[in-house]
Amino acid sequence: GENVEQHPSTLSVQEGDSAVIKCTYSDSASNYFPWYKQELGKRPQLIIDIRSNVGEKKDQRIAVTLNKTAKHFSLHITETQPEDSAVYFCAASTGSNYQLIWGAGTKLIIKP
Amino acid sequence: EPEVTQTPSHQVTQMGQEVILRCVPISNHLYFYWYRQILGQKVEFLVSFYNNEISEKSEIFDDQFSVERPDGSNFTLKIRSTKLEDSAMYFCASRVSGNTIYFGEGSWLTVV
């Protein structure tokens, strides 16, 4: 079945700098790749997603890139702010039911 | 904005007891999911449900677990005989027909 690897597990960046989180997936049939932000004790919140027919997608300070050949996708956050501090999860959707297989998460710490 | 709602938000139960977690998906959604997240770990897929039947389930979803949509609005997860390792946050989720999955706030289950 699908397996999603996510790196790094913890990322600490200075406020205003960029943060990049990377994920790889194993199932070439996966076709949907969302990113979720989770604050402590809260539900995962979708922040951006990309489908396999697109290589890059941007929404203000957040962008996602997808390399289908290499089976990896990345989250880019520019001009980081304190409120960006959270755990970020990547996921890959496989199968007709679109159940999500999740990465292990990255704790993003924004230093003031 | 419509939301997936879950009850209870927190439940403490004795090992061996049965637990029912309840969810009300967004009203026009057709696909329903349960995920769980053990404290500090990644989100794990349990089961997907469509057209009044299980469409897919993970290895975690063994005979101790069952799901039901008893009345066309609620979607329940039952754990027959809880174990200590069932302690986790359980998230219900739903989607209409596209990829985007909407999560509830979660039910925190503590087995003692």
Side-chain angles (χ1 to χ4, degrees), chain B residues 31 35 62 71 105 108:
Chain B
Y31 301 82
Y35 289 84
D62 60 22
D71 56 11
E105 289 284 1
W108 183 247

Side-chain angles (χ1 to χ4, degrees), chain A residues 4 32 36 38 41-44 46 49 51 89 96-104, chain B residues 3-4 33 35 37 41-43 45 48 55-56 89 91 95 99-101 103-105:
Chain A
V4 177
Y32 174 64
Y36 286 86
Q38 188 179 34
K42 302 285 188 180
R43 75 178 109 190
L46 178 70
D49 56 12
R51 288 161 177 77
F89 290 95
S96 59
N97 297 304
Y98 292 102
Q99 67 271 17
L100 299 174
I101 306 301
W102 297 68
Chain B
E3 284 192 340
V4 177
Y33 307 84
Y35 289 84
Q37 186 177 29
Q41 297 186 23
K42 67 178 173 182
V43 179
F45 167 73
S48 60
S55 43
E56 195 140 355
M89 180 75 95
F91 290 105
R95 67 181 179 96
N99 297 127
T100 306
I101 296 175
F103 284 83
E105 289 284 1

Side-chain angles (χ1 to χ4, degrees), chain A residues 25 30-35 48-59 63-74, chain B residues 99:
Chain A
Y25 61 99
S30 290
N31 57 7
Y32 174 64
F33 307 92
W35 285 89
I48 197 165
D49 56 12
I50 193 167
R51 288 161 177 77
S52 59
N53 59 346
V54 175
E56 185 174 356
K57 184 176 176 180
K58 192 173 180 181
D59 182 3
V64 56
T65 58
L66 171 65
N67 183 327
K68 281 170 53 180
T69 305
K71 289 190 279 190
H72 66 69
F73 56 113
S74 301
Chain B
N99 297 127

Side-chain angles (χ1 to χ4, degrees), chain A residues 17-36:
Chain A
D17 288 350
S18 295
V20 180
I21 302 170
K22 298 181 179 181
C23 287
T24 60
Y25 61 99
S26 60
D27 189 347
S28 55
S30 290
N31 57 7
Y32 174 64
F33 307 92
W35 285 89
Y36 286 86

